[in-house]
Each structure stands twice: as C-alpha cells, then as structure tokens.
Amino acid sequence: MIEKILNSKLLYIGIHIIFGFLGTLPLFPKLYGSLIIIIPILLIYLSQNKNEEAFILAAYITGAEVFIRMTKGFILYETGKYGVILFLVLGILFGKYKQVFSLQYIFYILLILLGIVFTQVPEGESIRKAIVFNLGGPIGLGIAAIYFYKRPIKKQEFLNALFFMLLPLFSMVTYMYFKTPDLREIVFHSEANFVTSGGFGPNQVATAIGLGMFVLVVFIASKTKLSGFLFLDAVFLIYFSYRGLLTFSRGGILASTISIILFLFFYSLYKKVSIKILTKYIFIGGFFLIAIWLYTSNITGGMLDNRYTGRNKIGVKEDITSGRLDIVKVQFDNFLEYPLGIGVGNGKYERQKSIGKVTAASHNEVGRLLEEHGIIGFFILIMLLTVPLFNFLRGNNFQKAFIISFYVIWFLTINHSAMRIAIPGFIYALSLIRITNYEE
C-alpha cells in the first residue's frame, strides 16, 4: 500500500485535497480519524517494519493531527500523540533492526514522570487531564527519540516519510479554504485569526503549515519528484505560504522560514553550488517571498504588517509576545521559589497568585519544564539541547542540513506553542537520525 502511494504521488495529493473537502461533511472526519490508527497498526504488523513503515506512518499521523483536531475526527483529543507513540513502539517490537537504546532518553522519560508526584489541582479539576495534556508531548518526544537515536535511515526512506507527513497537510489547507468566508467580508485585526485558520487554533495551524512549507522546499531544492512538475510544486509552496500568513500566527511561519534558510545554506555547501547560481536562487526566492507578502498584506488591509511588527490595529506598538513574556517571568520566579518544581499541570493555577486569574497552559515548554519540574527540568532541558548537537557535529553537510533544521523547528516551536501537538516532539527526534545512502 505504501509503495503504491509513493508510485502515484500526484494522484494521492489529489485524493488528500478531496479529503480536505470531505472534512467539512459530518461523517468523514470520524471515519478518517479511526482508519489512520487502525490501518497503520495492521501495516506495521504485517510488514514487521521491514522498510521503516513505523517511521513513515508515524510521520503521516504527525502531519494529520491538526487537520483531524480541526474536524473533530479523533475520539480522544490527544489521539495523534498516542498514535505516534504506538506506531514507533510497534516498530521497535516488530522491527529486525537492533535498536540502539539511548539511556539518556529512557532516563528522560523517568524524570518527566517524576513530576507527577508533586501534581495538585484545585477541587473540581481533573488531575488526569492535567497530566495527559502536559506530558503527552514530552513522553512522545522521549519514545520517538528512543526509536530514532543513531538510527540509520536510507535517504529514500527518509524522503518517503517526509512525503507522507506532507500529504494530510494538503487536506488541512483545503479544509481551511472551504471553511474560510470571503476574505473581503473579514475585518482583520492584529491578533491571530481563527476565521482564516479553519476555526481552529491559529498557533497550531501555522505550525503545521510551516512544517509543510519546509518539506516542500526540501523536495524542490533536492529536485526530488513530488507532483512530477516543478512549477506545480512551486505553486503548492506559494499557497502554503499564503495560507500560513493569513493565520496571523507568527511563530510557525518564522520557525519555518529560519529552518528553510539554514537547510538551504548547508544543502548548498553539500552540493557545492556556485555563488552565481546561489545568487540567482536567492533573487528568485526573494521575489516570490516579497510578492506573497505584499499580496497578503493588501488583502488584510495592512494588518499583516502590524501583526509582524508588534503593532495593534491602529499602529500603536504593543507587546510583541502577546503577553507570553509575562507568563515566562512568573515561571522563572516560581522556579527560583520552588527548586524541586510545583508539579505537572500546576503552572496555570500557580500563576493565579501573581496574575490574579487562572490563565491558559503555558505556550513555552522551556518555562514549563523549569517551573513544573524544577532542577530536574533544568537538567532535562540541557540534555535535550546538547544531544542533537553531537549528531550535528558528526554529520556531513547533507546530514547537517536536516539535523539543524529539525533542531531549530523543535526549539522555536516549543517556545511559542509548547508541545500541544505531536510535531515538535517528532521533529526533535529526527535530529538524532543518521541519513545513509546519500549521494557522494
């Protein structure tokens, strides 16, 4: 089945665009959400993970998670994270590859779970939901890291997984198109826009779109067949960029842009691209980037410019972090006051003492680690930051192009969107692999 999809990429892109339309109908989302759990389990078991089916199918559900949440296709809200964990565990159990188990990440999971001991929530609140919501992403990262740590992945298998990750993102942007009213009827402000994000959280949507932009650039830059037509691939990239800007959520788009620049830098070194050709590509890329920005800014009445420069609808400078810096300050204060941590999920209740109200869960995973896990969280953070860097230093420029890009996507994402979705944890783990069988 996987091979059949890979041999007809454009056909299955078209099918997933149709899925995006079907997502607006009542019954399809639940059916789709169930099948992408059931079918992968069967495929991994039957194939015994011979050709990295667990990796490919975990990549697929990582890309599909936001779309299915938007359409309410999952029975449980965190099913996307559970799916990634389940597929990779099955890949370890059934696969013939002799797993290189990393003591660092086994230890990491145990330390993360230790924070549950200190968890206390107010009466009437669910302690189970607090733990699942805050630890689903970090544990998913740990399982994925165990699976991918020093794992040799063939270049073609790696690109196959990226393609599968991209497929449901076509469904998502199509769904957004059908769920977004006429743009001329929308009154744009300088805040993240739920209307243009398919009625779902713009932060998560922009993160997913940003990932799609990165994958499209990888296929275009490496001249790997996606649709089979370079022009059509470029159109896909332009449309993804346009939809991403319309969300007015900056984090996912900026993370994608920075990772793309780093990828192209190291990939150019690997391909030994001449200055003349590189200048031509920079000019073409810059032209399209400016054109997309100007077009989108014009549609939004200039509000896009205000959003990215931290100004409100009348042009007055505001807090560019949208209040998140205040929360981070409180988190660091709590870290200093409670060096052993305040417990998993307690952060938003603890902040009530200084802010005066119960806030949403933090968007900053770094601050959450320090606040809720204390000194242990500090050591966890240092470990997460350093291990991929050793892999980066060992790699050649081809490998470095991917390792540093995934590393940056992960770090920037957890600082604006925490680990609400599976993407940052899964992407972090990809910075630990060793891509083999590349061109010399």
Side-chain angles (χ1 to χ4, degrees):
M1 181 178 180
I2 290 176
E3 195 64 32
K4 184 178 180 181
I5 293 172
L6 292 171
N7 289 333
S8 307
K9 288 189 175 75
L10 183 57
L11 171 63
Y12 281 90
I13 288 173
I15 290 173
H16 278 76
I17 289 173
I18 294 172
F19 284 174
F21 167 72
L22 294 176
T24 63
L25 305 178
L27 297 178
F28 177 80
K30 284 288 190 290
L31 177 64
Y32 179 61
S34 300
L35 289 178
I36 69 166
I37 297 293
I38 297 170
I39 292 175
I41 292 173
L42 294 174
L43 290 177
I44 295 169
Y45 173 74
L46 293 173
S47 67
Q48 297 292 292
N49 202 29
K50 184 178 179 181
N51 296 306
E52 289 294 345
E53 285 82 4
F55 173 24
I56 292 171
L57 295 168
Y60 183 85
I61 198 171
T62 298
E65 182 186 25
V66 176
F67 169 58
I68 303 176
R69 281 187 178 182
M70 294 168 80
T71 58
K72 298 179 173 60
F74 283 141
I75 296 174
L76 299 175
Y77 190 72
E78 299 289 337
T79 299
K81 295 173 186 175
Y82 301 152
V84 171
I85 293 171
L86 177 61
F87 298 165
L88 295 181
V89 168
L90 291 176
I92 293 172
L93 294 176
F94 296 139
K96 295 180 180 179
Y97 170 72
K98 189 176 180 181
Q99 194 75 34
V100 180
F101 283 103
S102 165
L103 290 178
Q104 300 102 305
Y105 292 106
I106 295 173
F107 197 48
Y108 156 81
I109 292 176
L110 295 176
L111 289 177
I112 282 288
L113 292 174
L114 188 61
I116 297 175
V117 174
F118 300 97
T119 298
Q120 294 178 345
V121 297
E123 187 177 350
E125 296 288 339
S126 171
I127 189 169
R128 183 191 66 83
K129 287 183 178 180
I131 292 170
V132 169
F133 181 82
N134 287 280
L135 290 191
I139 290 175
L141 181 151
I143 298 297
I146 289 171
Y147 183 92
F148 289 111
Y149 182 71
K150 292 186 177 181
R151 192 180 189 92
I153 304 286
K154 293 179 182 178
K155 175 187 172 184
Q156 192 55 54
E157 291 174 343
F158 176 73
L159 292 175
N160 291 344
L162 291 186
F163 172 70
F164 266 75
M165 187 185 291
L166 181 64
L167 275 177
L169 297 176
F170 281 103
S171 303
M172 188 184 74
V173 295
T174 304
Y175 176 82
M176 291 166 61
Y177 170 80
F178 286 107
K179 294 295 287 186
T180 302
D182 190 330
L183 295 176
R184 291 171 294 185
E185 299 175 1
I186 300 174
V187 179
F188 287 93
H189 298 285
S190 57
E191 296 87 22
N193 199 316
F194 281 80
V195 178
T196 56
S197 302
F200 194 69
N203 205 347
Q204 296 180 27
V205 172
T207 298
I209 290 177
L211 178 62
M213 291 164 57
F214 173 77
V215 175
L216 283 165
V217 168
V218 168
F219 277 93
I220 292 172
S222 61
K223 297 179 181 178
T224 304
K225 290 183 179 180
L226 184 61
S227 68
F229 305 94
L230 179 61
F231 172 77
L232 187 54
D233 293 348
V235 170
F236 290 152
L237 177 58
I238 290 170
Y239 188 71
F240 268 69
S241 303
Y242 166 67
R243 295 300 321 191
L245 289 175
L246 277 180
T247 66
F248 272 43
S249 183
R250 298 163 296 197
I253 305 306
L254 291 175
S256 171
T257 303
I258 294 170
S259 64
I260 287 171
I261 292 170
L262 290 169
F263 171 79
L264 292 176
F265 173 75
F266 283 101
Y267 192 76
S268 297
L269 293 179
Y270 163 70
K271 297 296 285 186
K272 298 178 181 177
V273 178
S274 67
I275 297 296
K276 182 180 179 181
I277 295 176
L278 187 61
T279 302
K280 182 179 73 172
Y281 287 152
I282 291 173
F283 176 79
I284 295 172
F287 171 80
F288 280 106
L289 182 63
I290 294 172
I292 296 167
W293 181 278
L294 292 176
Y295 178 76
T296 312
S297 179
N298 182 60
I299 287 176
T300 63
M303 286 296 108
L304 183 68
D305 301 338
N306 286 5
R307 176 62 175 167
Y308 276 80
T309 55
R311 301 177 185 276
N312 62 19
K313 62 182 180 181
I314 60 174
V316 176
K317 196 78 171 177
E318 292 186 326
D319 176 15
I320 198 168
T321 68
S322 301
R324 292 173 184 166
L325 186 59
D326 294 333
I327 293 177
V328 171
K329 288 178 181 177
V330 174
Q331 288 177 319
F332 276 98
D333 289 340
N334 286 336
F335 169 66
L336 296 175
E337 186 174 351
Y338 305 100
L340 295 180
I342 62 174
V344 175
N346 288 348
K348 64 179 182 179
Y349 305 113
E350 189 66 29
R351 285 191 290 277
Q352 183 180 15
K353 298 176 183 178
S354 53
I355 297 178
K357 61 179 179 179
V358 177
T359 64
S362 172
H363 287 73
N364 190 299
E365 189 69 18
V366 173
R368 192 196 69 81
L369 270 175
L370 297 176
E371 179 185 43
E372 298 185 1
H373 297 268
I375 296 295
I376 289 176
F378 174 76
F379 286 112
I380 287 174
L381 180 62
I382 295 301
M383 188 205 74
L384 292 176
L385 288 169
T386 54
V387 175
L389 295 179
F390 288 108
N391 195 33
F392 174 79
L393 294 173
R394 283 193 295 261
N396 65 10
N397 285 325
F398 179 83
Q399 295 163 328
K400 285 178 178 178
F402 288 100
I403 293 169
I404 194 63
S405 300
F406 293 140
Y407 183 78
V408 167
I409 290 174
W410 161 74
F411 186 71
L412 294 181
T413 299
I414 67 168
N415 277 283
H416 74 80
S417 188
M419 298 190 72
R420 284 170 162 75
I421 54 179
I423 287 175
F426 187 78
I427 290 298
Y428 171 87
L430 294 186
S431 69
L432 304 174
I433 66 175
R434 293 179 174 174
I435 305 171
T436 63
N437 197 30
Y438 47 80
E439 294 177 29
E440 290 291 352

Tab-separated table of all heavy atoms in Angstrom, residues 78-123:
chain	number	residue	atom	x	y	z
A	78	GLU	N	-6.069	13.771	22.325
A	78	GLU	CA	-4.629	13.530	22.225
A	78	GLU	C	-4.301	12.293	21.386
A	78	GLU	O	-3.174	11.787	21.459
A	78	GLU	CB	-4.047	13.368	23.634
A	78	GLU	CG	-4.219	14.577	24.542
A	78	GLU	CD	-3.344	15.748	24.137
A	78	GLU	OE1	-2.321	15.520	23.465
A	78	GLU	OE2	-3.685	16.889	24.484
A	79	THR	N	-5.249	11.796	20.605
A	79	THR	CA	-5.036	10.568	19.838
A	79	THR	C	-3.836	10.664	18.902
A	79	THR	O	-3.145	9.663	18.675
A	79	THR	CB	-6.304	10.209	19.023
A	79	THR	OG1	-7.391	9.987	19.934
A	79	THR	CG2	-6.094	8.957	18.200
A	80	GLY	N	-3.576	11.827	18.347
A	80	GLY	CA	-2.434	11.997	17.443
A	80	GLY	C	-1.121	11.632	18.128
A	80	GLY	O	-0.289	10.898	17.568
A	81	LYS	N	-0.939	12.105	19.351
A	81	LYS	CA	0.281	11.790	20.105
A	81	LYS	C	0.322	10.310	20.459
A	81	LYS	O	1.367	9.660	20.369
A	81	LYS	CB	0.353	12.638	21.374
A	81	LYS	CG	0.495	14.132	21.116
A	81	LYS	CD	0.397	14.912	22.406
A	81	LYS	CE	0.397	16.413	22.140
A	81	LYS	NZ	0.176	17.206	23.356
A	82	TYR	N	-0.849	9.770	20.872
A	82	TYR	CA	-0.899	8.346	21.200
A	82	TYR	C	-0.538	7.501	19.980
A	82	TYR	O	0.141	6.467	20.100
A	82	TYR	CB	-2.304	7.944	21.677
A	82	TYR	CG	-2.804	8.682	22.892
A	82	TYR	CD1	-4.166	8.872	23.102
A	82	TYR	CD2	-1.920	9.199	23.846
A	82	TYR	CE1	-4.643	9.543	24.220
A	82	TYR	CE2	-2.384	9.871	24.963
A	82	TYR	CZ	-3.755	10.048	25.141
A	82	TYR	OH	-4.216	10.715	26.245
A	83	GLY	N	-1.005	7.923	18.807
A	83	GLY	CA	-0.726	7.185	17.583
A	83	GLY	C	0.761	7.140	17.269
A	83	GLY	O	1.300	6.084	16.912
A	84	VAL	N	1.425	8.282	17.383
A	84	VAL	CA	2.870	8.338	17.128
A	84	VAL	C	3.601	7.387	18.074
A	84	VAL	O	4.470	6.604	17.651
A	84	VAL	CB	3.404	9.776	17.301
A	84	VAL	CG1	4.930	9.788	17.251
A	84	VAL	CG2	2.841	10.685	16.217
A	85	ILE	N	3.250	7.444	19.358
A	85	ILE	CA	3.896	6.575	20.350
A	85	ILE	C	3.653	5.106	20.019
A	85	ILE	O	4.587	4.285	20.011
A	85	ILE	CB	3.372	6.903	21.766
A	85	ILE	CG1	3.831	8.305	22.192
A	85	ILE	CG2	3.854	5.861	22.780
A	85	ILE	CD1	3.192	8.806	23.475
A	86	LEU	N	2.398	4.762	19.721
A	86	LEU	CA	2.044	3.372	19.438
A	86	LEU	C	2.767	2.835	18.213
A	86	LEU	O	3.338	1.734	18.248
A	86	LEU	CB	0.526	3.265	19.238
A	86	LEU	CG	-0.012	1.877	18.861
A	86	LEU	CD1	0.316	0.867	19.951
A	86	LEU	CD2	-1.515	1.939	18.610
A	87	PHE	N	2.780	3.599	17.123
A	87	PHE	CA	3.413	3.124	15.885
A	87	PHE	C	4.914	2.881	16.084
A	87	PHE	O	5.468	1.887	15.603
A	87	PHE	CB	3.209	4.125	14.746
A	87	PHE	CG	1.765	4.355	14.383
A	87	PHE	CD1	1.389	5.440	13.592
A	87	PHE	CD2	0.766	3.508	14.838
A	87	PHE	CE1	0.068	5.657	13.263
A	87	PHE	CE2	-0.569	3.716	14.517
A	87	PHE	CZ	-0.914	4.796	13.728
A	88	LEU	N	5.572	3.806	16.789
A	88	LEU	CA	7.018	3.669	16.983
A	88	LEU	C	7.352	2.532	17.939
A	88	LEU	O	8.357	1.833	17.752
A	88	LEU	CB	7.605	4.992	17.479
A	88	LEU	CG	7.515	6.162	16.482
A	88	LEU	CD1	8.137	7.414	17.070
A	88	LEU	CD2	8.188	5.811	15.158
A	89	VAL	N	6.530	2.334	18.947
A	89	VAL	CA	6.740	1.199	19.861
A	89	VAL	C	6.578	-0.111	19.096
A	89	VAL	O	7.381	-1.050	19.256
A	89	VAL	CB	5.766	1.266	21.059
A	89	VAL	CG1	5.796	-0.053	21.840
A	89	VAL	CG2	6.139	2.417	21.986
A	90	LEU	N	5.546	-0.190	18.247
A	90	LEU	CA	5.358	-1.381	17.418
A	90	LEU	C	6.545	-1.578	16.478
A	90	LEU	O	6.976	-2.714	16.231
A	90	LEU	CB	4.065	-1.263	16.605
A	90	LEU	CG	2.755	-1.341	17.395
A	90	LEU	CD1	1.564	-1.105	16.468
A	90	LEU	CD2	2.622	-2.678	18.105
A	91	GLY	N	7.086	-0.476	15.959
A	91	GLY	CA	8.259	-0.564	15.081
A	91	GLY	C	9.461	-1.141	15.805
A	91	GLY	O	10.243	-1.914	15.234
A	92	ILE	N	9.615	-0.774	17.067
A	92	ILE	CA	10.718	-1.305	17.875
A	92	ILE	C	10.512	-2.801	18.151
A	92	ILE	O	11.430	-3.612	18.042
A	92	ILE	CB	10.842	-0.533	19.205
A	92	ILE	CG1	11.288	0.920	18.942
A	92	ILE	CG2	11.837	-1.226	20.148
A	92	ILE	CD1	11.256	1.809	20.166
A	93	LEU	N	9.273	-3.167	18.490
A	93	LEU	CA	8.977	-4.547	18.869
A	93	LEU	C	9.056	-5.510	17.685
A	93	LEU	O	9.572	-6.631	17.807
A	93	LEU	CB	7.585	-4.627	19.495
A	93	LEU	CG	7.394	-3.904	20.833
A	93	LEU	CD1	5.947	-3.996	21.288
A	93	LEU	CD2	8.326	-4.470	21.896
A	94	PHE	N	8.541	-5.074	16.527
A	94	PHE	CA	8.460	-5.968	15.377
A	94	PHE	C	9.656	-5.843	14.433
A	94	PHE	O	9.927	-6.752	13.643
A	94	PHE	CB	7.174	-5.708	14.577
A	94	PHE	CG	5.926	-6.020	15.345
A	94	PHE	CD1	4.819	-5.189	15.266
A	94	PHE	CD2	5.844	-7.139	16.148
A	94	PHE	CE1	3.656	-5.469	15.964
A	94	PHE	CE2	4.695	-7.436	16.856
A	94	PHE	CZ	3.593	-6.598	16.770
A	95	GLY	N	10.350	-4.728	14.484
A	95	GLY	CA	11.431	-4.485	13.528
A	95	GLY	C	12.622	-5.398	13.729
A	95	GLY	O	12.923	-5.835	14.845
A	96	LYS	N	13.335	-5.661	12.641
A	96	LYS	CA	14.530	-6.505	12.693
A	96	LYS	C	15.771	-5.705	13.072
A	96	LYS	O	16.801	-6.282	13.421
A	96	LYS	CB	14.739	-7.176	11.333
A	96	LYS	CG	13.612	-8.148	10.967
A	96	LYS	CD	13.858	-8.798	9.616
A	96	LYS	CE	12.718	-9.757	9.272
A	96	LYS	NZ	12.928	-10.395	7.934
A	97	TYR	N	15.669	-4.364	12.984
A	97	TYR	CA	16.823	-3.538	13.323
A	97	TYR	C	17.129	-3.657	14.814
A	97	TYR	O	16.235	-3.576	15.657
A	97	TYR	CB	16.537	-2.070	12.969
A	97	TYR	CG	17.562	-1.094	13.499
A	97	TYR	CD1	18.829	-1.030	12.945
A	97	TYR	CD2	17.249	-0.236	14.550
A	97	TYR	CE1	19.766	-0.140	13.431
A	97	TYR	CE2	18.171	0.670	15.033
A	97	TYR	CZ	19.437	0.708	14.473
A	97	TYR	OH	20.367	1.586	14.954
A	98	LYS	N	18.377	-3.876	15.148
A	98	LYS	CA	18.798	-3.976	16.545
A	98	LYS	C	18.844	-2.573	17.139
A	98	LYS	O	19.744	-1.789	16.849
A	98	LYS	CB	20.165	-4.648	16.636
A	98	LYS	CG	20.567	-4.978	18.077
A	98	LYS	CD	21.887	-5.738	18.117
A	98	LYS	CE	22.260	-6.065	19.563
A	98	LYS	NZ	23.556	-6.793	19.634
A	99	GLN	N	17.838	-2.264	17.927
A	99	GLN	CA	17.665	-0.911	18.448
A	99	GLN	C	18.836	-0.474	19.317
A	99	GLN	O	19.292	-1.210	20.200
A	99	GLN	CB	16.379	-0.847	19.278
A	99	GLN	CG	15.913	0.556	19.591
A	99	GLN	CD	15.290	1.224	18.374
A	99	GLN	OE1	14.650	0.584	17.564
A	99	GLN	NE2	15.480	2.518	18.253
A	100	VAL	N	19.357	0.738	19.042
A	100	VAL	CA	20.378	1.334	19.898
A	100	VAL	C	19.650	2.156	20.953
A	100	VAL	O	19.272	3.299	20.714
A	100	VAL	CB	21.344	2.236	19.090
A	100	VAL	CG1	22.397	2.833	20.008
A	100	VAL	CG2	22.005	1.440	17.975
A	101	PHE	N	19.411	1.553	22.104
A	101	PHE	CA	18.649	2.252	23.136
A	101	PHE	C	19.516	3.309	23.800
A	101	PHE	O	20.657	3.052	24.198
A	101	PHE	CB	18.122	1.273	24.179
A	101	PHE	CG	16.928	0.506	23.720
A	101	PHE	CD1	17.040	-0.812	23.310
A	101	PHE	CD2	15.679	1.109	23.664
A	101	PHE	CE1	15.938	-1.512	22.872
A	101	PHE	CE2	14.567	0.417	23.219
A	101	PHE	CZ	14.700	-0.893	22.827
A	102	SER	N	18.946	4.496	23.882
A	102	SER	CA	19.657	5.617	24.498
A	102	SER	C	19.263	5.724	25.963
A	102	SER	O	18.104	5.973	26.282
A	102	SER	CB	19.305	6.921	23.769
A	102	SER	OG	19.701	8.030	24.538
A	103	LEU	N	20.230	5.547	26.837
A	103	LEU	CA	19.954	5.677	28.266
A	103	LEU	C	19.496	7.083	28.609
A	103	LEU	O	18.701	7.282	29.529
A	103	LEU	CB	21.208	5.320	29.070
A	103	LEU	CG	21.610	3.840	29.067
A	103	LEU	CD1	22.899	3.634	29.851
A	103	LEU	CD2	20.498	2.980	29.652
A	104	GLN	N	20.013	8.087	27.831
A	104	GLN	CA	19.615	9.471	28.110
A	104	GLN	C	18.099	9.642	28.029
A	104	GLN	O	17.489	10.262	28.896
A	104	GLN	CB	20.266	10.453	27.108
A	104	GLN	CG	21.785	10.435	27.112
A	104	GLN	CD	22.304	9.659	25.930
A	104	GLN	OE1	21.941	8.506	25.739
A	104	GLN	NE2	23.178	10.286	25.140
A	105	TYR	N	17.485	9.075	26.981
A	105	TYR	CA	16.063	9.319	26.757
A	105	TYR	C	15.173	8.394	27.592
A	105	TYR	O	14.035	8.755	27.905
A	105	TYR	CB	15.754	9.212	25.261
A	105	TYR	CG	16.395	10.354	24.501
A	105	TYR	CD1	17.525	10.159	23.716
A	105	TYR	CD2	15.907	11.655	24.638
A	105	TYR	CE1	18.132	11.214	23.059
A	105	TYR	CE2	16.509	12.706	23.977
A	105	TYR	CZ	17.623	12.487	23.198
A	105	TYR	OH	18.236	13.545	22.562
A	106	ILE	N	15.686	7.216	27.950
A	106	ILE	CA	14.959	6.385	28.910
A	106	ILE	C	14.927	7.101	30.255
A	106	ILE	O	13.888	7.185	30.925
A	106	ILE	CB	15.616	4.998	29.035
A	106	ILE	CG1	15.490	4.246	27.710
A	106	ILE	CG2	14.979	4.200	30.182
A	106	ILE	CD1	16.236	2.936	27.662
A	107	PHE	N	16.072	7.645	30.648
A	107	PHE	CA	16.182	8.399	31.891
A	107	PHE	C	15.307	9.654	31.839
A	107	PHE	O	14.669	10.033	32.815
A	107	PHE	CB	17.649	8.771	32.125
A	107	PHE	CG	17.963	9.186	33.533
A	107	PHE	CD1	17.537	8.421	34.611
A	107	PHE	CD2	18.694	10.337	33.774
A	107	PHE	CE1	17.831	8.796	35.915
A	107	PHE	CE2	18.989	10.723	35.071
A	107	PHE	CZ	18.562	9.956	36.143
A	108	TYR	N	15.268	10.285	30.655
A	108	TYR	CA	14.451	11.487	30.451
A	108	TYR	C	12.973	11.201	30.732
A	108	TYR	O	12.305	11.965	31.436
A	108	TYR	CB	14.646	11.978	29.009
A	108	TYR	CG	13.515	12.811	28.450
A	108	TYR	CD1	13.410	14.166	28.755
A	108	TYR	CD2	12.559	12.237	27.609
A	108	TYR	CE1	12.361	14.924	28.228
A	108	TYR	CE2	11.531	12.990	27.083
A	108	TYR	CZ	11.431	14.331	27.391
A	108	TYR	OH	10.393	15.076	26.881
A	109	ILE	N	12.460	10.089	30.203
A	109	ILE	CA	11.052	9.748	30.415
A	109	ILE	C	10.773	9.515	31.894
A	109	ILE	O	9.756	9.981	32.439
A	109	ILE	CB	10.670	8.502	29.594
A	109	ILE	CG1	10.701	8.838	28.090
A	109	ILE	CG2	9.278	7.995	29.979
A	109	ILE	CD1	10.431	7.658	27.181
A	110	LEU	N	11.678	8.818	32.580
A	110	LEU	CA	11.501	8.554	34.010
A	110	LEU	C	11.489	9.861	34.811
A	110	LEU	O	10.681	10.032	35.739
A	110	LEU	CB	12.613	7.632	34.519
A	110	LEU	CG	12.622	6.214	33.939
A	110	LEU	CD1	13.833	5.433	34.440
A	110	LEU	CD2	11.329	5.483	34.292
A	111	LEU	N	12.364	10.788	34.447
A	111	LEU	CA	12.421	12.069	35.158
A	111	LEU	C	11.169	12.900	34.902
A	111	LEU	O	10.662	13.577	35.806
A	111	LEU	CB	13.671	12.846	34.731
A	111	LEU	CG	15.017	12.301	35.206
A	111	LEU	CD1	16.165	13.142	34.643
A	111	LEU	CD2	15.086	12.273	36.735
A	112	ILE	N	10.674	12.864	33.664
A	112	ILE	CA	9.450	13.589	33.332
A	112	ILE	C	8.278	13.063	34.157
A	112	ILE	O	7.472	13.828	34.704
A	112	ILE	CB	9.144	13.447	31.815
A	112	ILE	CG1	10.031	14.383	30.992
A	112	ILE	CG2	7.681	13.740	31.519
A	112	ILE	CD1	9.685	15.845	31.106
A	113	LEU	N	8.198	11.740	34.287
A	113	LEU	CA	7.102	11.128	35.047
A	113	LEU	C	7.203	11.451	36.535
A	113	LEU	O	6.183	11.472	37.240
A	113	LEU	CB	7.115	9.608	34.843
A	113	LEU	CG	6.752	9.129	33.432
A	113	LEU	CD1	6.953	7.624	33.314
A	113	LEU	CD2	5.320	9.500	33.075
A	114	LEU	N	8.414	11.709	37.011
A	114	LEU	CA	8.612	12.022	38.427
A	114	LEU	C	7.845	13.263	38.855
A	114	LEU	O	7.417	13.395	40.008
A	114	LEU	CB	10.112	12.201	38.713
A	114	LEU	CG	10.526	12.358	40.183
A	114	LEU	CD1	10.144	11.111	40.972
A	114	LEU	CD2	12.027	12.602	40.265
A	115	GLY	N	7.632	14.193	37.903
A	115	GLY	CA	6.918	15.431	38.218
A	115	GLY	C	5.482	15.208	38.639
A	115	GLY	O	4.872	16.084	39.279
A	116	ILE	N	4.931	14.028	38.312
A	116	ILE	CA	3.543	13.726	38.684
A	116	ILE	C	3.372	13.698	40.202
A	116	ILE	O	2.309	14.012	40.733
A	116	ILE	CB	3.115	12.370	38.064
A	116	ILE	CG1	3.137	12.461	36.537
A	116	ILE	CG2	1.738	11.950	38.550
A	116	ILE	CD1	2.859	11.143	35.841
A	117	VAL	N	4.446	13.327	40.918
A	117	VAL	CA	4.398	13.217	42.378
A	117	VAL	C	3.935	14.522	43.015
A	117	VAL	O	3.215	14.524	44.021
A	117	VAL	CB	5.784	12.819	42.929
A	117	VAL	CG1	5.786	12.832	44.458
A	117	VAL	CG2	6.184	11.446	42.401
A	118	PHE	N	4.317	15.658	42.414
A	118	PHE	CA	4.017	16.962	43.006
A	118	PHE	C	2.722	17.579	42.461
A	118	PHE	O	2.373	18.704	42.820
A	118	PHE	CB	5.173	17.936	42.747
A	118	PHE	CG	6.482	17.475	43.324
A	118	PHE	CD1	7.413	16.815	42.538
A	118	PHE	CD2	6.770	17.687	44.664
A	118	PHE	CE1	8.624	16.398	43.062
A	118	PHE	CE2	7.975	17.265	45.204
A	118	PHE	CZ	8.906	16.610	44.409
A	119	THR	N	2.030	16.844	41.592
A	119	THR	CA	0.844	17.411	40.948
A	119	THR	C	-0.326	17.547	41.916
A	119	THR	O	-0.704	16.590	42.590
A	119	THR	CB	0.405	16.543	39.751
A	119	THR	OG1	1.459	16.519	38.785
A	119	THR	CG2	-0.837	17.118	39.096
A	120	GLN	N	-0.867	18.750	41.980
A	120	GLN	CA	-2.066	19.037	42.757
A	120	GLN	C	-2.899	20.033	41.974
A	120	GLN	O	-2.387	21.060	41.541
A	120	GLN	CB	-1.717	19.632	44.126
A	120	GLN	CG	-0.977	18.676	45.054
A	120	GLN	CD	-0.611	19.342	46.372
A	120	GLN	OE1	-0.657	20.567	46.484
A	120	GLN	NE2	-0.264	18.542	47.362
A	121	VAL	N	-4.158	19.727	41.763
A	121	VAL	CA	-5.024	20.657	41.041
A	121	VAL	C	-6.189	21.039	41.937
A	121	VAL	O	-6.545	20.289	42.860
A	121	VAL	CB	-5.551	20.030	39.723
A	121	VAL	CG1	-4.404	19.720	38.777
A	121	VAL	CG2	-6.350	18.765	40.005
A	122	PRO	N	-6.804	22.198	41.699
A	122	PRO	CA	-7.933	22.632	42.531
A	122	PRO	C	-9.096	21.644	42.481
A	122	PRO	O	-9.237	20.876	41.526
A	122	PRO	CB	-8.325	23.987	41.922
A	122	PRO	CG	-7.112	24.436	41.195
A	122	PRO	CD	-6.444	23.202	40.698
A	123	GLU	N	-9.928	21.679	43.488
A	123	GLU	CA	-11.097	20.812	43.547
A	123	GLU	C	-12.001	21.060	42.335
A	123	GLU	O	-12.259	22.196	41.963
A	123	GLU	CB	-11.880	21.081	44.839
A	123	GLU	CG	-13.028	20.111	45.064
A	123	GLU	CD	-13.736	20.349	46.395
A	123	GLU	OE1	-13.214	21.136	47.210
A	123	GLU	OE2	-14.802	19.763	46.597
